[in-house]
mmCIF file of all heavy atoms in Angstrom:
data_model
loop_
_atom_site.group_PDB
_atom_site.id
_atom_site.type_symbol
_atom_site.label_atom_id
_atom_site.label_comp_id
_atom_site.label_asym_id
_atom_site.label_seq_id
_atom_site.Cartn_x
_atom_site.Cartn_y
_atom_site.Cartn_z
ATOM 1 N N TYR L 86 -18.362 104.827 150.575
ATOM 2 C CA TYR L 86 -18.557 103.455 151.026
ATOM 3 C C TYR L 86 -19.218 103.521 152.364
ATOM 4 O O TYR L 86 -20.137 102.748 152.669
ATOM 5 C CB TYR L 86 -17.170 102.688 151.179
ATOM 6 C CG TYR L 86 -16.478 102.556 149.850
ATOM 7 C CD1 TYR L 86 -15.068 102.510 149.881
ATOM 8 C CD2 TYR L 86 -17.107 102.482 148.633
ATOM 9 C CE1 TYR L 86 -14.335 102.397 148.716
ATOM 10 C CE2 TYR L 86 -16.381 102.321 147.479
ATOM 11 C CZ TYR L 86 -15.012 102.284 147.440
ATOM 12 O OH TYR L 86 -14.240 102.118 146.379
ATOM 13 N N ILE L 90 -22.647 101.729 152.587
ATOM 14 C CA ILE L 90 -22.439 100.414 153.152
ATOM 15 C C ILE L 90 -22.141 100.461 154.644
ATOM 16 O O ILE L 90 -22.987 100.149 155.432
ATOM 17 C CB ILE L 90 -21.335 99.608 152.407
ATOM 18 C CG1 ILE L 90 -21.670 99.590 150.948
ATOM 19 C CG2 ILE L 90 -21.030 98.235 153.017
ATOM 20 C CD1 ILE L 90 -20.487 99.104 150.009
ATOM 21 N N ASP L 118 -19.738 95.558 142.344
ATOM 22 C CA ASP L 118 -18.452 96.211 142.177
ATOM 23 C C ASP L 118 -18.134 97.179 143.367
ATOM 24 O O ASP L 118 -17.046 97.162 143.933
ATOM 25 C CB ASP L 118 -18.338 96.975 140.882
ATOM 26 C CG ASP L 118 -18.285 96.079 139.670
ATOM 27 O OD1 ASP L 118 -17.981 94.870 139.851
ATOM 28 O OD2 ASP L 118 -18.554 96.593 138.594
ATOM 29 N N THR L 119 -19.166 97.945 143.735
ATOM 30 C CA THR L 119 -18.974 98.904 144.829
ATOM 31 C C THR L 119 -18.754 98.149 146.144
ATOM 32 O O THR L 119 -17.887 98.493 146.916
ATOM 33 C CB THR L 119 -20.150 99.861 144.919
ATOM 34 O OG1 THR L 119 -20.143 100.629 143.817
ATOM 35 C CG2 THR L 119 -20.041 100.722 146.163
ATOM 36 N N LEU L 120 -19.530 97.114 146.366
ATOM 37 C CA LEU L 120 -19.319 96.311 147.582
ATOM 38 C C LEU L 120 -17.892 95.744 147.651
ATOM 39 O O LEU L 120 -17.248 95.765 148.661
ATOM 40 C CB LEU L 120 -20.385 95.198 147.718
ATOM 41 C CG LEU L 120 -20.190 94.275 148.863
ATOM 42 C CD1 LEU L 120 -20.357 94.991 150.217
ATOM 43 C CD2 LEU L 120 -21.154 93.050 148.789
ATOM 44 N N THR L 121 -17.464 95.177 146.536
ATOM 45 C CA THR L 121 -16.107 94.531 146.527
ATOM 46 C C THR L 121 -15.044 95.614 146.744
ATOM 47 O O THR L 121 -14.097 95.421 147.574
ATOM 48 C CB THR L 121 -15.882 93.898 145.107
ATOM 49 O OG1 THR L 121 -16.809 92.849 144.949
ATOM 50 C CG2 THR L 121 -14.435 93.337 144.963
ATOM 51 N N ASP L 122 -15.170 96.741 146.105
ATOM 52 C CA ASP L 122 -14.219 97.887 146.322
ATOM 53 C C ASP L 122 -14.213 98.325 147.785
ATOM 54 O O ASP L 122 -13.171 98.635 148.377
ATOM 55 C CB ASP L 122 -14.477 99.047 145.396
ATOM 56 C CG ASP L 122 -14.221 98.696 143.967
ATOM 57 O OD1 ASP L 122 -13.555 97.700 143.643
ATOM 58 O OD2 ASP L 122 -14.667 99.491 143.066
ATOM 59 N N ALA L 123 -15.459 98.466 148.355
ATOM 60 C CA ALA L 123 -15.543 98.889 149.758
ATOM 61 C C ALA L 123 -14.886 97.882 150.731
ATOM 62 O O ALA L 123 -14.177 98.284 151.651
ATOM 63 C CB ALA L 123 -17.016 99.063 150.134
ATOM 64 N N LEU L 124 -15.129 96.601 150.459
ATOM 65 C CA LEU L 124 -14.488 95.573 151.355
ATOM 66 C C LEU L 124 -13.043 95.633 151.267
ATOM 67 O O LEU L 124 -12.325 95.507 152.224
ATOM 68 C CB LEU L 124 -15.098 94.218 150.958
ATOM 69 C CG LEU L 124 -16.563 93.935 151.259
ATOM 70 C CD1 LEU L 124 -17.004 92.668 150.725
ATOM 71 C CD2 LEU L 124 -16.875 94.047 152.707
ATOM 72 N N GLU L 125 -12.470 95.862 150.036
ATOM 73 C CA GLU L 125 -11.012 95.950 149.948
ATOM 74 C C GLU L 125 -10.536 97.149 150.640
ATOM 75 O O GLU L 125 -9.496 97.131 151.316
ATOM 76 C CB GLU L 125 -10.630 96.010 148.475
ATOM 77 C CG GLU L 125 -9.159 96.197 148.223
ATOM 78 C CD GLU L 125 -8.212 95.209 148.873
ATOM 79 O OE1 GLU L 125 -8.626 94.082 149.224
ATOM 80 O OE2 GLU L 125 -7.034 95.506 149.100
ATOM 81 N N CYS L 126 -11.236 98.270 150.579
ATOM 82 C CA CYS L 126 -10.839 99.503 151.289
ATOM 83 C C CYS L 126 -10.884 99.244 152.827
ATOM 84 O O CYS L 126 -9.906 99.638 153.519
ATOM 85 C CB CYS L 126 -11.763 100.676 150.872
ATOM 86 S SG CYS L 126 -11.358 102.223 151.579
ATOM 87 N N TYR L 127 -11.918 98.603 153.260
ATOM 88 C CA TYR L 127 -11.997 98.356 154.728
ATOM 89 C C TYR L 127 -10.868 97.348 155.107
ATOM 90 O O TYR L 127 -10.312 97.526 156.214
ATOM 91 C CB TYR L 127 -13.298 97.732 155.066
ATOM 92 C CG TYR L 127 -14.542 98.676 154.911
ATOM 93 C CD1 TYR L 127 -15.756 98.210 154.562
ATOM 94 C CD2 TYR L 127 -14.417 100.082 155.143
ATOM 95 C CE1 TYR L 127 -16.918 99.097 154.431
ATOM 96 C CE2 TYR L 127 -15.503 100.898 155.057
ATOM 97 C CZ TYR L 127 -16.677 100.399 154.647
ATOM 98 O OH TYR L 127 -17.826 101.231 154.507
ATOM 99 N N ARG L 128 -10.530 96.396 154.321
ATOM 100 C CA ARG L 128 -9.491 95.454 154.600
ATOM 101 C C ARG L 128 -8.155 96.260 154.735
ATOM 102 O O ARG L 128 -7.298 96.004 155.624
ATOM 103 C CB ARG L 128 -9.315 94.409 153.541
ATOM 104 C CG ARG L 128 -8.276 93.389 153.997
ATOM 105 C CD ARG L 128 -7.791 92.524 152.709
ATOM 106 N NE ARG L 128 -7.193 93.332 151.737
ATOM 107 C CZ ARG L 128 -5.912 93.824 151.808
ATOM 108 N NH1 ARG L 128 -5.155 93.599 152.864
ATOM 109 N NH2 ARG L 128 -5.430 94.471 150.822
ATOM 110 N N PHE L 144 -12.478 90.075 156.585
ATOM 111 C CA PHE L 144 -12.408 90.462 155.262
ATOM 112 C C PHE L 144 -11.531 89.473 154.357
ATOM 113 O O PHE L 144 -11.678 89.488 153.158
ATOM 114 C CB PHE L 144 -11.698 91.860 155.122
ATOM 115 C CG PHE L 144 -12.484 92.924 155.875
ATOM 116 C CD1 PHE L 144 -12.037 93.479 157.038
ATOM 117 C CD2 PHE L 144 -13.727 93.347 155.363
ATOM 118 C CE1 PHE L 144 -12.740 94.394 157.666
ATOM 119 C CE2 PHE L 144 -14.422 94.324 156.020
ATOM 120 C CZ PHE L 144 -13.924 94.911 157.188
#
Side-chain angles (χ1 to χ4, degrees):
Y86 299 150
I90 300 166
D118 290 342
T119 294
L120 177 63
T121 297
D122 292 346
L124 292 173
E125 175 57 22
C126 183
Y127 292 148
R128 186 199 60 76
F144 300 109

